Amino acid sequence: MASGENPDNPRHPRNLQGLLKFAVEATKEEDAPQESRLQPMDEERRRFLENALNSLTVDVVKELEKAMQTLLDASSSDEAKVEAIEIVTDYVQDVDAANDFFKIGGFTILRPGLESSSASLRAVTLSLIADLAQNNPFCQQKLLEMSLLPKLTELLSDEQPVAEKALHAISCLVRHHEPCLAAFIEIGGLECILGCIQADSEKLRVKSAFLLSNLCGELEPVRDEFIKLNAIEVLVDAVKPTDTYDPKLETALSSLQVLTECKAGVERCSQVSGFREKLEAIIKQSAGKEECEDQLNYAKTLMQRCFSNEADGTER
């Protein structure tokens, strides 16, 4: 749900997909106590549906330009600007609309939104950037050319949920687009991810570890660089054995499994004091618990990779 949206008074749908979603949400609590009986549609209902569908035939570019007018108007309130960005975000989830938004000059509203004194406006601007960039090489490149990455990394230290949305925007920019990833690495982005893994926010820790895993899986040189930056030691420190399912634990173990897919990672992992004891505790405490199956499997894999030779006295 977009920021500021009232669940009891949702915005009206703007396209056919939205209309279908709106209809499903409106009727999901209804039960069908008996088999439905199809009946001819009466004239009043037919006219209503025709009008509803006709109202959804909109000029997307015109609607984007209208929202931009609000955003560029110095007299607009922060609340009006938040609403305008949410409207834009609804449309640009379509790749063609996202590209059109750039072509009509829409990206000019991004930096002011990121630099706003309003946390709500910063947050929705970050969400917009994420939607523009996700799986869209054209927009990823245009956003890179705007040099927004330094500002996005700066916002990782902002209040919640701004920091979380900044990380999501960064993730959408750098994944599957090597020029953006290279620029991010150049400004110390990998170190920023490691810093987020150690943050107080649980969501930020989980999301940053997940991003680390994805980047390492995409490019081996990134994995090697993370190892050089002591990512293994940072993640092992985040491993806290527990007898219940813990998303932080599972994500840390998953990231360590990715980092130990090379000899250097295995060697570094096996040398961390106390890690073997942590894995033994996790395996013991998670055994037989269905909800802990993944973290149990990760722990077993890491034990096998890093400490199997110690069991038979063989030197590594």
Side-chain angles (χ1 to χ4, degrees), residues 66 76 244 250:
K66 182 179 177 181
S76 297
T244 60
E250 181 180 309

Side-chain angles (χ1 to χ4, degrees), residues 106-130:
F107 281 25
T108 58
I109 61 93
L110 298 177
R111 189 173 292 278
L114 295 176
E115 296 176 347
S116 171
S117 60
S118 165
S120 296
L121 192 51
R122 295 196 300 276
V124 293
T125 303
L126 288 163
S127 292
L128 172 58
I129 290 172

